[in-house]
Amino acid sequence: KTIAVVGCPFSGGQPKLGVDKGPIHLVEAGLVTQLEELGWHVLFDGHHQFEEISTASDPPIGKLKNPRLVSRVCEGVANVVGEHVRNGRLPVTLGGDHSLAMGTISGTLKSYPDACVVWVDAHADINTAETTVSGNIHGMPVSFLLGLGVEIPEFSWVKPSLKPERLVYIGLRDLDAGEKKILKENNIRAFSMHEVDKYGIGRVVEMALDHVNPNRDLPIHLSFDVDALDPSVAPSTGTPVRGGLTFREGHYICEAIHETGLLVALDLMEVNPSLADPESVRQTVTVGCSLVRSALGESLL
Ligand SMILES: N[C@](CCCC[B-](O)(O)O)(CCN1CCC(O)CC1)C(=O)O
Ligand SMILES: [Mn+2]
Ligand SMILES: [Mn+2]
Ligand SMILES: [Mn+2]
């Protein structure tokens, strides 16, 4: 099978400069060769070029910032990822901020309407236009995929293609009040860091998959935000939250999902190489590449 590395140098879903350089650093660290060394055929024809639109022509819609830019970029990503999936490739999307997952998951669900989503993150990214506090759309992609909240015409291309019972979270520890309410109202299964502590990562992954993929027969889209990891493990990210996953817990999730043989698409999001010192950047880029390799078959034995 062929991997398609989709480099998405995009930062419009959040305010910090630099996250658009994430894909460049991940590829420069040798990720393509590393995947080839795992035996994959890898397609990478350069990072995506997103034409900017000036903020003058993209005023906020309510609280939402850069709405037209984010919508247009994510629609483009949905088409690219969707085309790779349709052609039997495994898209590995490198962010870039997590708003991109509105596109990647839309793309996956177009070909695999029954796919389940494992969302690994400190945050739920499920704010609606009504509940968002920041107006940063990287905190909202899941609400668009579920079709929650008031319809926004500029985002009409996003179909509510994800069902709540096909979504599960691992690593949550920083939710807005509105998001907690949304998870409860929609009966969305979430394994926060409390559950990780209580049951251990092995049981958590098993319970998460039992929930969204009980017969282990549904395709899996893994959307991994590096801020799910503890900031001591992945410091160079825009919204770090203490008390996160260890290096091994993060890798275990990826290894276990590889073991299912059901992975059809992967996102590795929110690496921001302009944050913190060079050693932190190297550490974060290195762990990002390592997580991708683990999700794609690198094993310890
Ligand atoms: N939920 C946040 C963070 C989203 C993080 C997106 B990512 O892709 O990185 O998972 C947090 C907003 N929150 C508002 C109140 C403040 O005191 C703290 C941050 C938001 O901005 O909506
Ligand atoms: Mn996220
Ligand atoms: Mn996050
Ligand atoms: Mn983040």
Side-chain angles (χ1 to χ4, degrees), residues 210-287:
D210 286 349
H211 178 73
V212 289
N213 209 334
N215 304 319
R216 302 292 191 277
D217 59 352
L218 300 176
I220 298 172
H221 182 122
L222 173 60
S223 200
F224 202 117
D225 183 330
V226 291
D227 70 31
L229 300 170
D230 189 82
S232 65
V233 177
S236 300
T237 190
T239 48
V241 184
R242 62 187 174 182
L245 297 169
T246 64
F247 179 95
R248 275 302 313 155
E249 289 168 337
H251 283 79
Y252 180 83
I253 295 168
C254 295
E255 291 158 2
I257 286 184
H258 169 74
E259 272 175 346
T260 67
L262 296 165
L263 184 70
V264 294
L266 171 66
D267 309 326
L268 196 278
M269 313 308 268
E270 299 275 0
V271 169
N272 186 332
S274 72
L275 295 178
D277 55 284
E279 177 48 30
S280 296
V281 173
R282 196 202 55 73
Q283 184 186 3
T284 306
V285 170
T286 302
V287 77

Side-chain angles (χ1 to χ4, degrees), residues 5-10 45-51 53 67-86 91 93 99-108 110 154-159 267 269:
V5 172
V6 183
C8 290
F10 182 65
D45 42 13
H47 296 289
H48 247 263
Q49 306 299 325
F50 302 114
E51 80 254 33
I53 49 177
R68 296 162 195 81
L69 174 65
V70 173
S71 177
R72 227 240 332 276
V73 164
C74 287
E75 187 173 15
V77 170
N79 294 332
V80 168
V81 167
E83 196 265 342
H84 285 311
V85 175
R86 217 177 11 262
T93 302
S99 64
L100 290 162
M102 205 189 311
T104 63
I105 295 170
S106 294
T108 299
K110 216 159 163 60
E154 287 76 1
F155 289 84
S156 57
W157 65 270
V158 190
K159 303 305 167 206
D267 309 326
M269 313 308 268

Side-chain angles (χ1 to χ4, degrees), residues 8-24:
C8 290
F10 182 65
S11 64
Q14 54 80 64
K16 293 186 179 175
L17 298 178
V19 69
D20 54 316
K21 301 288 182 290
I24 295 152

Side-chain angles (χ1 to χ4, degrees), residues 15-254:
K16 293 186 179 175
L17 298 178
V19 69
D20 54 316
K21 301 288 182 290
I24 295 152
H25 281 70
L26 289 161
V27 169
E28 263 172 19
L31 183 58
V32 173
T33 307
Q34 293 164 20
L35 295 174
E36 287 169 338
E37 282 163 4
L38 282 175
W40 292 90
H41 178 65
V42 183
L43 179 68
F44 174 63
D45 42 13
H47 296 289
H48 247 263
Q49 306 299 325
F50 302 114
E51 80 254 33
E52 293 293 316
I53 49 177
S54 76
T55 45
S57 57
D58 193 12
I61 298 172
K63 284 177 276 183
L64 274 55
K65 294 164 183 160
N66 311 320
R68 296 162 195 81
L69 174 65
V70 173
S71 177
R72 227 240 332 276
V73 164
C74 287
E75 187 173 15
V77 170
N79 294 332
V80 168
V81 167
E83 196 265 342
H84 285 311
V85 175
R86 217 177 11 262
N87 287 286
R89 301 185 199 104
L90 197 166
V92 174
T93 302
L94 307 176
D97 73 66
H98 220 166
S99 64
L100 290 162
M102 205 189 311
T104 63
I105 295 170
S106 294
T108 299
L109 290 170
K110 216 159 163 60
S111 294
Y112 294 116
D114 285 341
C116 61
V117 173
V118 179
W119 193 285
V120 183
D121 203 324
H123 313 92
D125 298 2
I126 200 169
N127 276 304
T128 63
E130 293 75 39
T131 66
T132 181
V133 174
S134 66
N136 297 326
I137 299 177
H138 75 156
M140 304 176 67
V142 181
S143 77
F144 285 105
L145 292 163
L146 293 168
L148 305 180
V150 175
E151 165 95 20
I152 303 172
E154 287 76 1
F155 289 84
S156 57
W157 65 270
V158 190
K159 303 305 167 206
S161 45
L162 180 60
K163 296 182 272 298
E165 61 271 20
R166 288 283 164 77
L167 168 65
V168 67
Y169 287 104
I170 301 174
L172 299 188
R173 57 188 183 278
D174 179 21
L175 267 53
D176 300 330
E179 293 183 300
K180 291 180 178 176
K181 202 158 153 279
I182 290 169
L183 294 188
K184 284 191 186 73
E185 285 167 356
N186 293 276
N187 299 312
I188 293 170
R189 197 79 164 82
F191 294 89
S192 72
M193 290 309 297
H194 177 84
E195 282 72 39
V196 172
D197 295 338
K198 181 175 182 178
Y199 301 114
I201 197 65
R203 270 301 280 135
V204 162
V205 174
E206 190 182 354
M207 291 188 284
L209 292 176
D210 286 349
H211 178 73
V212 289
N213 209 334
N215 304 319
R216 302 292 191 277
D217 59 352
L218 300 176
I220 298 172
H221 182 122
L222 173 60
S223 200
F224 202 117
D225 183 330
V226 291
D227 70 31
L229 300 170
D230 189 82
S232 65
V233 177
S236 300
T237 190
T239 48
V241 184
R242 62 187 174 182
L245 297 169
T246 64
F247 179 95
R248 275 302 313 155
E249 289 168 337
H251 283 79
Y252 180 83
I253 295 168
C254 295

